[in-house]
Structure formats: C-alpha cells, structure tokens
Amino acid sequence: VWVANDNAPGQVVVAGTPAGVEAAAAAAKELGARRPMPLKVAGAFHTPLMQPAQAALDAALDAAASAGAFSEPQLQPWANCDAGRHDRPAEWRELLSSQLCSPVRWREQILAMTGDGVDTFVEVGPGNVLSGTVKRIAPDARRAAAATPDEVEGLRAQLRG
C-alpha cells in the first residue's frame, strides 16, 4: 500500500492491493486509528499500481498539448501532486501526468495556498467533502460550495459583491 491522499489532519487515504489495504486498515486500528474504512473506488489511484495506464494518459496529454490546450491562466492554478502553484502552461502536461501515480498532497496544498494569501475556497460540484477538509486545515478561511449552475452563478455574484 501507499499513501494516496493526505487530505487533512486525521484523514489519510491509503491505496494498494485489496489484501494490502485490508492489512493496513488492521494495523492502523491497532495503532489507534478511530475509524479506518474502505472506500469504494475503481482503482488504486495515485499509486504506482496505476503505472500501466501511464502511456495512454501521456499520449492524451501530448495530443492536448499539441492542440494548444494549455494556455496562460486567468487564475492561479495549484497542483496537488506537489502542493505548488504553477503559472507556466509548459509545466502542466507533466503535472497532469504525475497525478496518476503520485499522492494527492491536499493538506500541504491548502497550507501553501493560505500561506500565499488565499483566504477563500469554493467547492464546485456535488457535496462538500473538500470544504470540510479545508475547515480542518485552515479554520479561518472562508468556504463555500455550489452544486448547480444556478448556485455557481449566485455564489459568483456573492463573492464579487
């Protein structure tokens, strides 16, 4: 098993073979973890077990790059594979490629963002799992969530106002 996601204090996701994950959960419980639980996912994402899919992903990223898909950003993009800000489009193809087999460093990314002056986080999509982790990592940050296009528009107007 490998650490696949460092989500927040007290929340780390491991991924690997089913037997490895089961053994890791048992060991975590013995070490005092309150509630190790399996997640229903389709694969061991963000681990070396995804390596067989790397060539296909890289080919798709190469095609996107050749088509000019990566351009100058209007906002500051951050990558959770290295918890850093990347303003140069030339870096994005490699960063997206590394997402497949690299752990998600969400906790580090939120800390880096708040350290860089980011004080508002907006979660777009169903649920508010990410907003909950932001609350645990950066309790003073403003958080908002929007699940529908109308909610996104309303939130956009609210944040600009």
Side-chain angles (χ1 to χ4, degrees):
V1 298
W2 295 265
V3 171
N5 298 64
D6 176 6
N7 287 340
Q11 187 182 75
V12 174
V13 176
V14 298
T17 64
V21 170
E22 189 175 314
K29 188 88 168 159
E30 285 180 22
L31 293 170
R34 284 189 294 175
R35 199 171 45 135
M37 64 164 111
L39 300 176
K40 293 182 182 188
V41 295
F45 301 106
H46 310 295
T47 75
L49 291 177
M50 294 304 297
Q51 190 63 44
Q54 193 72 59
L57 175 61
D58 288 346
L61 290 169
D62 288 342
S66 294
F70 304 123
S71 59
E72 291 298 319
Q74 294 179 12
L75 301 172
Q76 296 177 343
W78 291 76
N80 58 31
C81 60
D82 70 357
R85 186 176 73 199
H86 297 274
D87 296 328
R88 294 187 357 234
E91 300 176 302
W92 298 343
R93 185 242 172 258
E94 185 60 35
L95 289 165
L96 288 167
S97 175
S98 69
Q99 284 277 136
L100 187 61
C101 298
S102 298
V104 173
R105 295 167 57 182
W106 181 253
R107 181 187 53 80
E108 284 180 72
Q109 180 180 342
I110 299 303
L111 290 171
M113 292 173 81
T114 57
D116 203 32
V118 175
D119 64 359
T120 303
F121 295 85
V122 176
E123 181 171 359
V124 178
N128 59 3
V129 171
L130 299 177
S131 298
T133 61
V134 169
K135 181 178 182 179
R136 291 167 65 184
I137 299 164
D140 296 332
R142 292 187 335 167
R143 297 166 314 282
T148 67
D150 288 342
E151 288 176 357
V152 170
E153 283 303 315
L155 187 55
R156 188 170 105 173
Q158 178 185 347
L159 290 172
R160 287 189 174 171

